[in-house]
Structure formats: C-alpha cells, structure tokens
Amino acid sequence: MSDLRDLFEHPIIQAPMAGGTSRPVLAAAVSAAGGLGFLAAGYKRAEQVRAEIVQTRELTDRPFGVNLFVPSSAATGTSAAPAVDLAAMSAYQERLAPEAARLGVALGVPAGDDDDWEAKLTDLLADPPAVVSFVFGCPSTEVIEAFRSQGVLVVVTVTSAAEAVLAAAADALCVQGTEAGAHRGTFTNDPDAVDEGMELLKLLIEVRQVVALPLIAAGGLIQGADIAEVLEVGATAAQLGTAFLRCPESGASPVHKAALADPRFTATALTRAFTGRPARGLINRFLTEHSPFAPAAYPQVHHLTSPLRRAAAQQSDPDTMALWAGQAFRLATDDPAADVFARLAEELSETR
C-alpha cells in the first residue's frame, strides 16, 4: 500500500463529484498534471464504474481514486437509517407535481436502494485503483482490510471529530468542512435538521486532536493560498471540487457551468430539496421554494427529483436544477483542468 504522499507530486486532489461531473478525462488530467484525480461511483452501476476505470487508465498511467457511497445497511458505528416518513414523502410528491407538469415529465419513483454496493466492492477488489474513498459512512473493518490487502489506500470522509474516531481504521480521512459544495458526507441523515457542520479549519484542528491519520482537507478551497492554509494546520493534502467544476473536462452540464458565473446567483445554501440529504448548492428558485418541505429521505428524494433535474438541464432551466457548488464558487474558472492545476500548484509554491 502506498503512502498518501506517494500518490501525487503536488498535494492537490480533485474531489469525486457524482452525477457525471468527475468523468475519466477530468480525473486523468489532474493525475497527469501531478495531483490525484478521482472518479465518482455514486449513482452508477458497477459495470459503468469499471468502464470509467478502464478509460481513465487509457488516458494516464498515474494513480487515481474511486469514491463509493456507503449505504446505511453497510455502515459501521452509526445508527440505522431513520424510517422514511411516508406521509411527508407523499406530501412532497404532491408538492412537486406542478414542477413535473411544467417540464413535461413524470416524477421518479421514490424507492430506496444500496447504490449497487456489493457489485461495486466485488469489481473493485478484483482490479482495484490506487485509492478507494467512502462517503456517507464508514465501511466495515472487513471491507477496509480487503482493500488494504490489495495494496489499496482507504480513505473515509468525515464531518466531525466523532466520525473521525469511528473511521480510525482507515488509512486516511477526508475532513469535509461546511464550506464544501454538494452533499455533506455525514454518517447519519438526521431528520430533525440540516446539519450546518463546522468550518474546515476548526474541524481540521479538532480531528487532528483525536486521530493520528493523514488528513485530506475539503471545503471551500479554490486558491493556492487556501491549500497552504490547510497544510499549515496539519492536512497532508487538499481536495478541491468546485475549482474544477467549470473546466472543459468536467461532465457538469453547460447550464450548471454557466450558473457558476451568472451574477444573479450570489450565494449557496444547504438543502434537502433535491436528494433528501443535506447538500450545498447555488440558491435558486427550486431550493428556495421547496427546501422547507423536503423530507430526510435518501435516496428516495433523489430518485423522485431525478427526472426534473435532468429535464431542467435539457431545457436550460437553472432554477430547477441542483447547482452544486462550494462557497467560493465565484472564483472557479473555465480553464482546462491542467491549467487550473498548474495555477494552484504555482500559487501554493509562492505562498509557502
């Protein structure tokens, strides 16, 4: 198994962004530039993930990682997922019916699933990447040891010191501050409130006090000075997502990319409106109107709204899309990923 530092020339990691954003060409570009690129296995079948791994290996011979969603049934050290409030779910379906009618699509079926967990594990263990990271929970010790026996470095995403303790069997932790875009990687989906979380620098200090593992800092990092700051407080590397979101290699929709530079979108907020789990995105009409009514039901809400989000992207309607973005989104550029990476590395060198 490699040490985390052996996997990159510069301590810059491209965040795994699910939904097609972190496609092979983006992960390969970052790894080839001297960082660590990541594929996102979330929302994909095992065979799709395998095809992306093959494609990424054709584009670069450098190490890269794959990120997996941990279903509640496979997570350790956490309570069982809360039962879905069927009445709240039904009410949310009724609330979104006019949105579906306006876009000319049917709402999705709000079913639960395990994101093809077992098939992905089997496939990745048979031919693993250099790194496997996990979000939404910590996998069992057996899963961690199985990957470790294959020489794979195992990373678990945490959002609190308590979660860091539960994930101490991993090789490294990705410490996610509240500034991060897209889903918060919390181990539980508390139905009583959207967990705002802790600012990244404070969280890094707290986590460092309870574990001695290498830490990857994530959340609101978009310039070299940001990376230098988290390294100064104990991180081994920095993970950036929004910084690469507008790049040509990113698989984000053109509407999403344009919204990040649109002056009418001025801030982000956490919401369950699109997936049933807290996630940070640009404040648009859908988020504003529906956030107070979205139940803590994941992946049920994700499946329910998926046709809406897909149709909105096709119809160039940013106000009905999940415009995931970190708090520093306005500084993201549409330069090629290699150029973004080179700028970050140069800024980091100058700052340090």
Side-chain angles (χ1 to χ4, degrees):
M1 180 184 65
S2 300
D3 181 90
L4 179 61
R5 294 176 182 85
D6 296 334
L7 300 176
F8 44 71
E9 179 183 353
H10 301 283
I12 301 171
I13 298 172
Q14 164 250 311
M17 296 172 279
T21 300
S22 294
R23 57 186 181 177
V25 66
L26 176 59
V30 172
S31 287
L36 181 65
F38 255 94
L39 299 175
Y43 306 135
K44 296 184 177 80
R45 305 296 297 175
E47 56 269 24
Q48 294 175 288
V49 179
R50 170 51 48 197
E52 291 196 352
I53 290 174
V54 170
Q55 185 178 350
T56 306
R57 285 176 174 158
E58 292 173 348
L59 295 171
T60 181
D61 58 1
R62 297 288 300 160
F64 61 91
V66 175
N67 176 260
L68 296 173
F69 290 173
V70 181
S72 57
S73 59
T76 62
T78 61
S79 58
V84 174
D85 184 333
L86 297 180
M89 195 70 234
S90 177
Y92 199 54
Q93 284 182 265
E94 292 183 15
R95 180 178 183 82
L96 297 186
E99 298 275 10
R102 178 178 58 82
L103 291 168
V105 297
L107 289 170
V109 179
D113 64 63
D114 67 355
D115 203 44
D116 210 17
W117 170 255
E118 292 294 342
K120 287 174 182 174
L121 289 183
T122 300
D123 205 34
L124 288 175
L125 284 167
D127 185 16
V131 185
V132 172
S133 69
F134 297 92
V135 69
F136 299 157
C138 183
S140 68
T141 302
E142 291 75 18
V143 169
I144 293 174
E145 289 299 334
F147 278 108
R148 188 176 286 139
S149 70
Q150 296 286 78
V152 179
L153 190 139
V154 176
V155 179
V156 175
T157 302
V158 300
T159 63
S160 68
E163 290 178 352
V165 172
L166 293 173
D171 300 310
L173 302 179
C174 179
V175 180
Q176 185 196 54
T178 188
E179 303 94 333
H183 283 107
R184 284 185 46 68
T186 52
F187 284 16
T188 60
N189 189 16
D190 182 0
D192 296 324
V194 172
D195 176 16
E196 293 289 342
M198 184 180 293
E199 291 180 353
L200 178 57
L201 292 179
K202 294 179 182 178
L203 182 57
L204 279 170
I205 293 170
E206 285 203 2
V207 171
R208 173 53 66 222
Q209 292 173 343
V210 297
V211 297
L213 298 173
L215 304 181
I216 299 168
L221 310 177
I222 205 162
Q223 295 180 308
D226 302 328
I227 301 170
E229 192 171 25
V230 297
L231 297 180
E232 183 67 23
V233 298
T236 299
Q239 180 171 286
L240 291 74
T242 304
F244 296 103
L245 196 52
R246 293 182 62 202
C247 294
E249 297 89 347
S250 161
S253 76
V255 182
H256 189 170
K257 291 180 179 182
L260 294 169
D262 189 334
R264 76 185 182 92
F265 295 111
T266 61
T268 66
L270 288 169
T271 182
R272 281 197 177 93
F274 297 101
T275 70
R277 255 190 176 271
R280 183 174 296 282
L282 301 183
I283 298 175
N284 61 4
R285 179 193 60 78
F286 193 98
L287 184 151
T288 301
E289 292 183 3
H290 301 302
S291 290
F293 306 96
Y298 177 88
Q300 287 83 358
V301 174
H302 160 72
H303 291 307
L304 178 71
T305 68
S306 181
L308 299 180
R309 291 177 277 131
R310 186 165 51 249
Q314 293 169 348
Q315 298 176 30
S316 299
D317 175 11
D319 274 302
T320 315
M321 294 174 60
L323 302 173
W324 302 142
Q327 288 184 348
F329 69 93
R330 191 60 80 208
L331 297 176
T333 70
D334 60 359
D335 298 321
D339 291 350
V340 171
F341 189 92
R343 172 180 56 80
L344 290 168
E346 181 178 0
E347 291 174 351
L348 173 60
S349 177
E350 292 174 350
T351 304
R352 298 181 80 180

